[in-house]
Every structure is written in C-alpha cells, then in structure tokens.
Amino acid sequence: MTAEANHILLLAGTSEARQLGKTLAETFPESRLTASFAGVVRDLPDLGVPTRVGGFGGVEGLLAYLRQEKITAIVDATHPFAAQMSHNAAEAAKTLKLPLLRLERPSWQPGESDRWTHVVSMDEAAMALPTGARAFLAIGRKEIERFTHRTDIFGLARMIEPPPAPLPGSWELLLSRPPTSAAEEISLFRDRNITHVVTKNSGGSRSIAKIEAARALKLPVIMIARPQLPDAETAPTVAALVDRLRQILANRN
Ligand code: NAP
C-alpha cells in the first residue's frame, strides 16, 4: 500500500474535530481525508476538508461506507456522550481490522471548594434537584425530556437546536452555543437567579465557562458522568493523536 492510498475518516462533532481537520490535512497532505457530521445542527463548521453529513445507517451502513470509500484509518473525535457512534466505529474497525484512534479529552475534576454531586444518568440528575430549584440545564435536545417531568422547578435549558417536544411552560429555552467566557455565564446565572447547574462531564475547554461560573458563584453542580465507551486506543489531545496516527500510518505503508 502506498501513502497515497490512505483515506482517513474523521468522525466530527467537537471543537477538537475542527482542529483535527486542519492539522490532519497539514500533517498528511498525501492522504485523503473525509470529515463526517451527524447533521444534527444546521450551521456546521467548515473543517476545510471534504465533508459528508448524516448517519451511516448503523454498523452495517458504516461498514458499507468504509469499504466503498476504501477508508484506511478512523479518527473518532465525537463528543464523549456520543456513545453510539463510538460503539459503531469500534465494531466496524474491529470487523475490517482498521486502525481506530479516539480523541478522549480528560473529564472535568472538581476543585477543593466545588460543590459537585456526581450522578451516572440523566434520570439521576433530574432526581437530584430539590423542589423549587432554579436549574441551569446544559443538556442537549436529545436528553432534555429526561428532565421535563420536573414541573416543580424552573429550568433554564440551553441547547443548539430546539427540543423535539415543548418544555414546561414555566421554563425558559435558550437556543445558543455555550459562551466561552465565564463572565457571560455568571451574568446569565445571576440574571435568572440560578441555584443549581446541571451538566454532562464533557471535559475540554470549549464549554468549561459554566463550571467556572458555578465555582465563582458557589453554586452546586450536578455532574453527569460519561457513558461507558468501547475499548479503543485513545489520545487526550489533538497533538498526541496526530503523533500516534503518524506512527500507525507509517507502519501500514
Ligand atoms: P450518538 O448518540 O453517538 O449517535 C447517534 C447516531 O448519529 C449514530 O448512530 C450515527 O448514526 C449518527 N452520528 C453520530 N455522530 C456522527 C458522525 N460524526 N458522523 C455521522 N453520523 C454520526 O451521537 P449524538 O450524541 O446524537 O451526537 C451527534 C453528534 O453531535 C456527534 O457527532 C457528536 O460528536 C456531537 N455532539 C454530541 C454531544 C452530546 O452531548 N451527545 C455534544 C456535542 C456534540 P448512524 O447509526 O445512522 O450511523
């Protein structure tokens, strides 16, 4: 196999995937590179590389795509809570004996003064909120329905795309991406008299502002642990992943 024959599939959907699109294209100029988005959000970022959009159709669909496109390596840079895609990628890579590298940013850790309640599911997070709480819910459109039975609280739900079903009438929906500055989050939490912050343990810097704001305002945080992901080789950063991919591709050529 020649270096030209490499075709890397980048499973995207995170800020790291954006960095990877650029870095992989620069590092492996002789390889083909295709980025893939689920297509959940409408304003997709331009990764600067050829892109496909939409689900593959489960493991079978992914296998067909990998064969058809002669993919030689998969980079899974999906969100830590996008477990289904990671499972499908791991299974397909195993079947076709393709190298798979997953970018796995470290989880957020509480500081000494942080008041975190650790939970393992959306349902447990919903139950952890006391009656009368004014909760900031950094929960996506897919999972928000796990909280909407809590009509005894005020929920300020922020997500990028609207939820499939309406939220309780007394709640507020904020359709936006998370801000990068803690000051903006502090101002939002103050303005809505937020008493609790509910968030997935996404890790990384892109959406850490809400954690910093909760810390600054001494707000309790309900922290939802990550789902179990399949066994796969992982790298914690873009740079580490690119280094490892370089070795893998060199060994294949
Ligand atoms: P998921 O539950 O793991 O995946 C559901 C289905 O969406 C997959 O089975 C696959 O469909 C399709 N899919 C997911 N990622 C894809 C990709 N990069 N390219 C093509 N198809 C993809 O994922 P999710 O939680 O719905 O997340 C969807 C996307 O949003 C992911 O790319 C993820 O990185 C991003 N995202 C998720 C979160 C979150 O909290 N879950 C947060 C930020 C960003 P088929 O089975 O038909 O192939």
Side-chain angles (χ1 to χ4, degrees):
M1 185 181 290
T2 64
E4 287 75 21
N6 278 321
H7 186 180
I8 304 164
L9 174 64
L10 170 62
L11 298 171
T14 54
S15 52
E16 288 86 352
R18 286 180 218 178
Q19 297 168 37
L20 270 167
K22 186 170 181 289
T23 313
L24 290 174
E26 285 168 3
T27 313
F28 307 108
E30 289 167 359
S31 296
R32 273 185 75 194
L33 181 59
T34 301
S36 175
F37 286 99
V40 184
V41 297
R42 268 163 282 177
D43 60 333
L44 290 173
D46 179 6
L47 269 55
V49 300
T51 297
R52 64 165 299 287
V53 180
F56 296 96
V59 178
E60 284 311 312
L62 179 57
L63 283 169
Y65 174 85
L66 297 172
R67 288 188 180 110
Q68 187 187 322
E69 294 297 321
K70 298 187 171 53
I71 299 292
T72 51
I74 305 173
V75 172
D76 178 359
T78 59
H79 190 272
F81 279 72
Q84 187 61 55
M85 189 67 247
S86 292
H87 278 282
N88 292 357
E91 198 174 325
K94 194 171 160 200
T95 303
L96 298 182
K97 298 188 173 51
L98 290 178
L100 165 68
L101 278 179
R102 186 168 70 231
L103 194 133
E104 203 163 283
R105 53 198 187 197
S107 299
W108 291 320
Q109 300 297 328
E112 269 186 17
S113 62
D114 286 343
R115 299 163 59 200
W116 289 14
T117 300
H118 295 274
V119 298
V120 296
S121 67
M122 300 289 156
D123 290 337
E124 203 189 331
M127 278 187 326
L129 289 163
T131 294
R134 294 184 62 82
F136 174 71
L137 304 169
I139 301 296
R141 63 186 293 282
K142 249 176 49 172
E143 297 121 340
I144 196 66
E145 66 184 19
R146 315 302 313 176
F147 293 82
T148 47
H149 64 285
R150 291 299 309 269
T151 49
D152 59 326
I153 66 164
F154 164 76
L156 171 60
R158 184 172 66 205
M159 58 196 73
I160 300 168
E161 297 291 337
L167 302 181
S170 58
W171 287 27
E172 183 181 343
L173 175 64
L174 211 52
L175 289 179
S176 71
R177 292 182 186 278
T180 48
S181 97
E184 264 184 76
E185 295 288 52
I186 289 172
S187 155
L188 176 71
F189 293 175
R190 281 203 174 120
D191 188 62
R192 306 303 199 282
N193 293 318
I194 294 300
T195 60
H196 293 75
V197 172
V198 183
T199 178
K200 303 181 234 189
N201 197 331
S202 301
S205 56
R206 174 61 189 87
S207 64
I208 201 172
K210 57 183 173 277
I211 306 295
E212 295 167 339
R215 185 170 294 147
L217 297 174
K218 300 190 177 16
L219 293 178
V221 174
I222 317 285
M223 183 59 74
I224 305 164
R226 295 175 175 190
Q228 187 76 34
L229 293 180
D231 280 344
E233 185 170 349
T234 64
T237 61
V238 167
L241 189 143
V242 171
D243 279 352
R244 181 64 189 123
L245 188 59
R246 190 184 287 112
Q247 291 169 3
I248 290 172
L249 296 184
N251 288 338
R252 285 175 66 85
N253 293 329

